[in-house]
Amino acid sequence: MNILGKEISEKTASLIKEIEQRLSKPVMYRFTDPSKTTVYGQCDPWQPDAYYVYCKESLLNTAKKNQVNIAYETNLLHELSHLCQIEEGFPHTCTRNTPVTMANKSHYDNLGALFVSSILDLNVDFRLKQNGYASKYFYTQRIIRAEKIARKGHVYKGLDFLEAALMLMLLKLTAAPASVNQLLHLLSDKNQGLVICCTSLAEAISQIGYNDPKSAFRSLACLFGTFNLFETHSIIFCDKEYTDFSSVERDYPGTRIVSPPAPASGDQFLPHSRGTPL
């Protein structure tokens, strides 16, 4: 099997074929926009004719001496796993039409995607590990980027704090403990609240779960409730739109909210703030 000019290993090709056969639409593969330097891959499930999977072209060069490029193949399987989640009924978000959100819809769409990805990526990581794949390359790159930011003395605040907390939560639950603990130790001197926040989130999400549609929905609702994202977004699950935490708790008793500490600057998690992704 050849995808985007790269010969795929027999093991990965077999798994890709198995996934494609389960999907309700054919899959088309494309390279991501080169200008999106921090995006390794993405998928577009909303086109009527096919599912579209995008992969960063530079991943083809991350293992020049190896016959099989594990990072490239893992990225393809990562995006295909998201397509499986869609057909299996995992939750997704939509931006609510308010004067604030309509003034910058692209920003709020990206914010909603950040939240849902922080939960769905945990399930994708679980699926990959079950099939003998690891996302070590991608997590290592994120940790390196975060360490560079921290060593420059950056103090997270506002939405910047929120984005960092979600990313660190994901790393805490998926990446090598030694590497993550080193990063958290580095950050604790600059923003102890951020470390406490991501640790609290990781503990809560670990207890709630994320490996089936219902638990993933409850974990996403936990994040929405924690950061008041219901003010600007809703969660779609089982053909129902949830616009507040009380309706989630009514249908799924026991779903809870984590109370993260305030950012070091004292800023609030305002939906209209703008930060820089970790």
Side-chain angles (χ1 to χ4, degrees):
M1 174 184 283
N2 187 296
I3 296 180
L4 299 176
K6 173 69 176 180
E7 194 64 31
I8 304 299
S9 67
E10 184 177 343
K11 175 186 175 181
T12 303
S14 177
L15 188 53
I16 288 176
K17 290 177 182 177
E18 179 184 331
I19 293 174
E20 289 180 341
Q21 289 173 358
R22 297 203 310 263
L23 298 174
S24 61
K25 293 188 291 188
V27 179
M28 305 295 291
Y29 298 91
R30 301 286 188 272
F31 285 123
T32 58
D33 184 342
S35 66
K36 298 180 179 180
T37 56
T38 61
V39 177
Y40 290 111
Q42 58 190 122
C43 63
D44 178 3
W46 309 117
Q47 302 305 317
D49 59 328
Y51 287 126
Y52 286 80
V53 167
Y54 296 84
C55 184
K56 191 173 184 179
E57 188 170 9
S58 62
L59 285 177
L60 293 173
N61 301 319
T62 60
K64 295 179 180 180
K65 296 181 180 179
N66 295 338
Q67 184 176 0
V68 177
N69 190 319
I70 299 300
Y72 177 69
E73 296 188 2
T74 301
N75 191 72
L76 291 174
L77 292 172
H78 180 107
E79 299 306 329
L80 286 168
S81 295
H82 280 312
L83 298 180
C84 292
Q85 289 173 330
I86 290 170
E87 300 213 345
E88 292 168 8
F90 275 70
H92 64 277
T93 69
C94 69
T95 305
R96 300 174 66 178
N97 292 328
T98 69
V100 171
T101 60
M102 295 310 292
N104 193 351
K105 191 172 186 304
S106 177
H107 161 64
Y108 286 99
D109 286 347
N110 290 335
L111 178 61
L114 173 72
F115 269 80
V116 74
S117 292
S118 68
I119 298 300
L120 298 188
D121 279 357
L122 290 169
N123 173 250
V124 168
D125 185 78
F126 175 78
R127 295 175 189 234
L128 291 172
K129 287 178 179 177
Q130 279 192 316
N131 287 287
Y133 294 84
S135 300
K136 180 179 179 180
Y137 170 80
F138 304 101
Y139 297 146
T140 298
Q141 295 305 308
R142 286 170 171 168
I143 289 172
I144 290 173
R145 189 160 68 246
E147 286 182 343
K148 287 181 178 179
I149 293 173
R151 293 185 191 283
K152 290 180 180 179
H154 179 66
V155 177
Y156 296 96
K157 60 182 180 179
L159 185 57
D160 197 7
F161 178 98
L162 183 156
E163 292 175 331
L166 291 177
M167 178 56 66
L168 290 170
M169 176 202 75
L170 186 147
L171 291 171
K172 180 73 173 174
L173 290 169
T174 56
S179 298
V180 178
N181 290 338
Q182 179 179 332
L183 172 60
L184 295 180
H185 179 73
L186 179 63
L187 286 168
S188 64
D189 293 336
K190 300 179 176 11
N191 195 332
Q192 188 176 21
L194 175 60
V195 174
I196 296 173
C197 180
C198 80
T199 301
S200 298
L201 289 173
E203 290 176 355
I205 300 307
S206 178
Q207 292 173 12
I208 297 171
Y210 43 78
N211 284 330
D212 61 81
K214 180 180 176 181
S215 62
F217 166 71
R218 294 180 67 232
S219 286
L220 185 59
C222 171
L223 294 184
F224 266 50
T226 296
F227 294 109
N228 298 317
L229 207 73
F230 282 114
E231 294 181 4
T232 53
H233 295 75
S234 59
I235 303 177
I236 311 300
F237 183 61
C238 289
D239 297 322
K240 181 174 180 178
E241 183 176 4
Y242 290 85
T243 58
D244 56 71
F245 186 80
S246 61
S247 63
V248 174
E249 195 172 32
R250 183 176 61 249
D251 288 355
Y252 300 91
T255 303
R256 63 193 180 97
I257 294 175
V258 178
S259 297
S265 66
D267 288 355
Q268 299 300 309
F269 301 109
L270 298 177
H272 60 269
S273 300
R274 186 56 187 160
T276 303
L278 181 65

